[in-house]
């Protein structure tokens, strides 16, 4: 989740992107391919929880 959090706060998910995936990976000290794999895993986990009905928002 750290990769997704860093990407979010860096503007990676904005349109147009404020920061590239390569820049986020560099900030994390990992390769771009590792960042994209971590990002996809986080998205898969989030969407799975959302669509499977196990996602809850804490106050």
């Amino acid at each position: 989740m750290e990769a997704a959090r860093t990407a979010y706060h860096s503007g990676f998910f904005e349109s147009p992107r404020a920061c590239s995936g390569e820049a986020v990976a560099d900030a994390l000290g990992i390769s771009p391919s590792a960042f994209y794999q971590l990002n996809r895993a986080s998205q898969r986990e989030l969407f799975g929880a959302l669509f499977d009905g196990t996602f809850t928002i804490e106050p």
Side-chain angles (χ1 to χ4, degrees):
M1 283 296 209
E2 179 184 351
R5 182 179 295 115
T6 301
Y8 176 79
H9 289 293
S10 298
F12 176 77
F13 296 108
E14 300 297 323
S15 182
R17 287 193 169 119
C19 188
S20 69
E22 289 79 9
V24 175
D26 188 50
L28 292 167
I30 59 176
S31 70
S33 62
F35 164 70
Y36 288 114
Q37 289 174 355
L38 290 169
N39 189 40
R40 294 287 296 196
S42 294
Q43 289 176 20
R44 188 172 36 255
E45 184 178 335
L46 175 62
F47 289 135
L50 180 65
F51 297 133
D52 291 340
T54 60
F55 182 77
T56 58
I57 299 175
E58 296 182 22

